[in-house]
Amino acid sequence: MSEKEEVVEVVRATASDWETVADLHARSWQVAYKGIMSDEYLDGPVFDERRGVWETRFKNSDMFPTWICQVNGYAAGFACVKKAPGGVEEKLGVFIDNLHVLADFQRRGIATRLMQACWAWSKENYPEKKLHLTVYEDNKKACAFYSAIGGHSCDPHMYTAEDGSQNMCLRYVWESKPGAA
């Protein structure tokens, strides 16, 4: 293997990965949500708040199947689907609750691989269902990416973020494998 070749692997998270996922989540938010969430929140309590969320979720990991994408053994991103309650909706299908890739690893196909892991899990467990997620409308890079891999935007709605701010969100829906076109 040459120096420049990367080994990229998507693995199912285990109970011991909760701190890695929490750290990825907070670090991703600090970059992606700058100007969307308050600096006070992103520079302060985001790490402790995300740790609390993921420690709890991993205690019920069967309800939040999660995948980590590793690049040369380094955790570069993660995705999580919400199994229930409310994670599998009749009309919209399986909900991707989180998809985050660290800024230094973006534009390398990592998010597409994570989306495809969610799709594969979805088709195995709910074969007739679509896949969907929500995104801040002001997160233009993410919106462009979701459109580029075949997501269809719908359902604009207001959302109260963890820092208390009100933000417009969009829902993206996939009826076929993301990025397969």
Side-chain angles (χ1 to χ4, degrees):
M1 176 170 43
S2 76
E3 256 185 78
K4 294 187 179 196
E5 280 188 63
E6 292 182 333
V7 177
V8 180
E9 182 179 30
V10 175
V11 297
R12 182 77 180 260
T14 64
S16 64
D17 291 320
W18 73 267
E19 288 179 288
T20 298
V21 171
D23 184 65
L24 284 168
H25 203 174
R27 290 171 55 207
S28 175
W29 276 16
Q30 285 183 314
V31 174
Y33 296 164
K34 188 148 189 77
I36 297 172
M37 289 184 171
S38 70
D39 288 346
E40 179 182 31
Y41 175 75
L42 294 174
D43 293 339
V46 67
F47 281 94
D48 287 339
E49 193 268 334
R50 293 291 89 195
R51 283 185 185 107
V53 166
W54 286 103
E55 183 177 24
T56 300
R57 283 186 175 185
F58 272 76
K59 288 178 183 173
N60 299 304
S61 61
D62 59 321
M63 302 307 284
F64 295 95
T66 303
W67 295 266
I68 297 172
C69 188
Q70 299 173 339
V71 177
N72 296 332
Y74 184 83
F78 79 98
C80 169
V81 297
K82 184 177 181 184
K83 188 172 177 183
V88 181
E89 300 175 14
E90 193 59 39
K91 181 178 177 185
L92 295 168
V94 176
F95 180 59
I96 299 174
D97 194 37
N98 295 106
L99 174 65
H100 295 278
V101 176
L102 296 177
D104 289 345
F105 292 94
Q106 291 179 359
R107 303 196 58 78
R108 293 179 172 177
I110 292 169
T112 301
R113 288 178 189 228
L114 288 165
M115 288 287 294
Q116 290 174 348
C118 293
W119 177 263
W121 181 89
S122 172
K123 293 299 116 186
E124 183 178 315
N125 291 278
Y126 302 96
E128 72 289 352
K129 299 294 185 192
K130 302 174 196 173
L131 200 60
H132 70 104
L133 56 70
T134 58
V135 61
Y136 291 120
E137 185 177 45
D138 287 340
N139 190 347
K140 302 296 185 195
K141 283 175 56 177
C143 291
F145 168 72
Y146 297 141
S147 292
I149 63 166
H152 301 284
S153 173
C154 64
D155 187 28
H157 60 279
M158 291 302 290
Y159 175 76
T160 302
E162 286 73 5
D163 69 341
S165 63
Q166 291 281 316
N167 296 286
M168 182 61 71
C169 286
L170 300 172
R171 187 175 313 274
Y172 279 80
V173 179
W174 287 265
E175 296 185 33
S176 59
K177 185 177 178 180

